[in-house]
Amino acid sequence: MRLGIVLLLALGASGCVAKEGRWCTAVGCADTVTFDLGSPHLHYAEELPLALRTCIGESCAHWVLDAKDCKPADEETPLHWCHFDFEQRLEVWMPLQDRSPREIAVSVSIRSKDGDELFAGQKNVLLEPHYPNGYECDKYNPCWQATADFSSAFR
């Protein structure tokens, strides 16, 4: 009996929960759009710092890019995330404000240090369900995510 209580406490402390007779981790995720932007900071190196704007519909985030960093350009942007991966590719994550419709419009624009527009692109992306704990654990409440790939413009 004591071993059962210890095991139950250990599973609870590890972030596991019982759902419909099976154990599931409590790993979660958020409804997001990932913008895969390639390497605009390398492509437009002579124009640094760059002003980057990423939008989901009318909801936009503003960033300042230099050779090594991506920083929020205003106080509302910290809810989002911008970063360079180990291959110097830029990725931006923005949370969704609304799960519907499943197909959403996204856009990106980049301006030079002088304010000249260097790139503007838009596309529709399809939100897909994501099950971080497996389908059986998250089937009633998946996260909805999409990737907007603009990287081919900056190779």
Side-chain angles (χ1 to χ4, degrees):
M1 177 68 174
R2 194 176 285 176
L3 178 61
I5 293 172
V6 169
L7 181 58
L8 183 61
L9 289 173
L11 287 171
S14 70
C16 293
V17 294
K19 287 187 178 180
E20 299 177 7
R22 65 181 285 137
W23 287 97
C24 300
T25 67
V27 172
C29 61
D31 297 340
T32 59
V33 172
T34 301
F35 291 80
D36 183 355
L37 299 171
S39 301
H41 61 297
L42 301 177
H43 190 80
Y44 298 119
E46 299 297 319
E47 303 291 338
L48 294 175
L50 302 174
L52 169 67
R53 184 183 73 175
T54 55
C55 301
I56 301 172
E58 300 297 317
S59 175
C60 298
H62 301 269
W63 309 92
V64 176
L65 302 179
D66 62 26
K68 296 182 181 183
D69 204 5
C70 180
K71 298 177 185 169
D74 55 48
E75 298 205 4
E76 294 176 17
T77 300
L79 297 174
H80 316 303
W81 194 48
C82 181
H83 112 116
F84 294 111
D85 70 11
F86 67 95
E87 292 180 344
Q88 289 299 302
R89 291 182 310 224
L90 180 65
E91 290 185 330
V92 174
W93 288 267
M94 287 181 64
L96 290 172
Q97 304 301 319
D98 185 8
R99 288 182 170 188
S100 62
R102 296 291 184 239
E103 187 172 332
I104 57 173
V106 297
S107 61
V108 172
S109 67
I110 297 175
R111 294 191 175 274
S112 70
K113 62 186 170 195
D114 298 324
D116 299 325
E117 185 170 82
L118 302 172
F119 176 79
Q122 63 182 16
K123 59 176 61 180
N124 290 336
V125 295
L126 186 62
L127 294 171
E128 301 281 345
H130 181 68
Y131 308 96
N133 301 300
Y135 177 78
E136 288 301 317
C137 290
D138 294 330
K139 63 185 171 187
Y140 299 117
N141 193 27
C143 300
W144 291 90
Q145 299 178 343
T147 298
D149 189 350
F150 290 94
S151 64
S152 63
F154 309 110
R155 290 190 179 148

